Structures are given as structure tokens and as C-alpha cells.
Amino acid sequence: VVQDAYWNYTCEFANLVLPAAQMGEKTGVMTSSDRTVSLCEKFSEPPGEAKPDWLIFKELAHRLGFKEQFPYEDAQSVFEEIRSITKGRLCDYSELSYEKLPQRWGKRWLYERLTFRTPSGKAKMHPTPYRHQPASFVLLTGRTKNQWHTMTRTGKSPELLKGEEDPFLLIHPEDVGELGVEEGDTVLIRSQIEELLLRVRFGDIKKGHAFAPFGYTSAPVNLLTGDGVDPLSKEPELKFTLILLASTKEVISHGSER
């Protein structure tokens, strides 16, 4: 099941697509990066059968037999549940009032006494073992400055796509000497699970590293990444994938099957 305001690539895999209301078409609470909790009120009715997220989740849950677990009547009732379960936690919302928003949870500083909530007051650092294979690059994935998330909206704007119409692989110019690759050439990228073709772009990036943006359906770079996670944080290893690069000229010279 997909709920979204715009048709996107993910919708093609869904059995059911539900139209969602956007900002301004629904009332709800939003927390900013500075810990300020704001009430975003509706000022326009959503089109057609579009509904706010909380109502979509509630109605779907009821149809799946979870009526008691989703008793919400409005956005405020969702907020009140969040407020109650955060009591005593680091992100304590319990003293906030829906009627008095915006408010900031916590005091001026998150760690007011400049200590962490550990017996020693110091942060616990857990070093992660580093494994690097000879002749390999570290692939980093992310978004570009004009594109947000999976480009479902910003990717449709010609103005925002200027200079980034096509997917690319950013590498340090001194890293391609042995490959015989020039800027604009296409390289074959191989990871342990998949391979992909991308055009080369030179830039200010650390040697031995390569960057490719996600969001392009013509070149889904996350196919190259594995399913490994950090054993402690459970953070997926999307930002550290060992890859090998090969010139497409070299690939063609070894056979036409690719």
C-alpha cells in the first residue's frame, strides 16, 4: 500500500495507491530540527478523495482488524498519545500543550549541563572495524542540493534539474588515471551484488571515494548497496559500499555481452 500526493516510481509496485493530503490541506504537528513543535493548520480542502495521513492509517488499520489500536478521532488525539509516551525520555513532550503550540521540548540546550546521560557523563564511542579491499572505491550515496528525497516532486522541475538532468558518478580526477577515463565517459560500477553504468564527473571529493545521487529511476544506485547494518546502531550501510570501476571501453574490448 502506498499513500502519496504524487504518482512516483514506487507506486508502480503497489497493490493499492491511496491519495494523501499535502501541507496546508491537513492539520498536524511538525517538529523542527531545533526541537520546536509547531501546529500546522489546514487552510484548504484536499482535492478529490485525498485524506490526511493519520486518517489513511486509521482506516486501513480498521480494515485489517486493528480497530482498538487505532482509536484516533483527529490530529490532536495522535499528538496526545505521542505526548504521553515520551514522558521521562530524552525527547520529553509531556509538558507541551496542543493549544499552546509552538513550543520547544527540553530546555535551551539539549544537554544543559554539558553531560550525557551515562554514569560518567561522557559519550560512549564505539569504533567500527574498517575493511578495505585493494583497488576498490568507497561508494557514497545521497541527494544533491536541489533534489529532495526521491525526486518525486523536485525531479519534475526543469529549473531544479539544471546541470543534474542525468545521474552521474563523482570522483577525484586523479583516481581515474589508470582507467583511462575522462570526464563525461561512462564507467561500469560493480559491487558485490549488482553493477551499474554511470557517467563520470570530476569534483572535490576524497581520493578513493565516489559519490552517486539516488532518486534517478534510470540508474537506481541503491541496487549497488548491500543489506549490511551496523551491529550497534543498526544503521544501514548505504554510505559505505565497496565498488570496482571499469572503463566501458575496457569492458567492450573483452566481449560484447555487456
Side-chain angles (χ1 to χ4, degrees):
V1 179
V2 169
Q3 54 84 27
D4 213 321
Y6 294 87
W7 182 267
N8 57 71
Y9 186 68
T10 306
C11 295
E12 297 181 16
F13 297 91
N15 300 103
L16 180 64
V17 179
L18 301 174
Q22 298 187 82
M23 183 77 74
E25 299 171 349
K26 58 185 177 182
T27 296
V29 170
M30 178 182 71
T31 304
S32 303
S33 56
D34 68 346
R35 295 179 280 114
T36 299
V37 183
S38 303
L39 177 62
C40 304
E41 297 189 74
K42 181 175 73 172
F43 57 80
S44 177
E45 290 298 322
E49 297 181 75
K51 298 179 180 179
D53 301 331
W54 71 266
L55 185 55
I56 292 176
F57 297 151
K58 172 187 174 179
E59 293 185 356
L60 179 62
H62 285 192
R63 284 166 171 76
L64 293 175
F66 298 98
K67 183 170 291 188
E68 293 182 3
Q69 292 88 339
F70 287 78
Y72 315 110
E73 294 301 326
D74 50 30
Q76 182 174 355
S77 60
V78 177
F79 172 79
E80 294 300 337
E81 179 177 274
I82 295 175
R83 193 172 69 87
S84 65
I85 63 177
T86 61
K87 185 175 180 60
R89 298 174 179 269
L90 178 62
C91 53
D92 193 331
Y93 275 36
S94 61
E95 298 300 321
L96 303 188
S97 169
Y98 188 83
E99 289 77 13
K100 295 181 180 179
L101 296 179
Q103 292 178 289
R104 179 187 291 176
W105 64 265
K107 298 183 180 179
R108 182 181 180 186
W109 307 111
L110 182 58
Y111 299 100
E112 193 173 33
R113 297 180 181 177
L114 300 182
T115 60
F116 291 87
R117 292 188 176 184
T118 60
S120 66
K122 297 181 179 180
K124 293 182 179 180
M125 308 299 290
H126 300 277
T128 300
Y130 175 79
R131 301 181 305 276
H132 193 82
Q133 300 172 359
S136 64
F137 285 78
V138 175
L139 174 66
L140 313 172
T141 64
R143 66 180 185 89
T144 58
K145 65 183 179 69
N146 289 335
Q147 298 302 323
W148 191 255
H149 298 316
T150 54
M151 299 170 63
T152 53
R153 295 177 65 179
T154 53
K156 298 177 181 179
S157 169
E159 188 69 24
L160 294 177
L161 275 176
K162 282 183 178 179
E164 298 174 355
E165 293 86 354
D166 299 311
F168 60 89
L169 184 73
L170 185 72
I171 53 179
H172 194 284
E174 295 181 14
D175 273 337
V176 295
E178 296 182 0
L179 292 173
V181 174
E182 298 179 357
E183 190 166 27
D185 286 352
T186 300
V187 292
L188 177 67
I189 310 166
R190 288 194 179 105
S191 70
Q192 291 183 343
I193 60 173
E194 191 56 84
E195 59 184 41
L196 199 64
L197 292 170
L198 284 176
R199 290 192 180 277
V200 168
R201 181 183 294 183
F202 294 157
D204 184 15
I205 188 172
K206 186 177 180 180
K207 290 183 181 181
H209 291 67
F211 169 80
F214 51 68
Y216 292 89
T217 57
S218 60
V221 295
N222 279 344
L223 291 178
L224 297 168
T225 61
D227 57 1
V229 297
D230 180 81
L232 289 173
S233 68
K234 308 305 179 184
E235 185 77 15
E237 204 171 38
L238 300 177
K239 307 296 182 183
F240 189 100
T241 302
L242 295 181
I243 59 171
L244 296 174
L245 299 182
S247 167
T248 51
K249 301 173 185 176
E250 175 187 336
V251 173
I252 294 173
S253 68
H254 284 78
S256 60
E257 67 275 7
R258 295 192 184 281

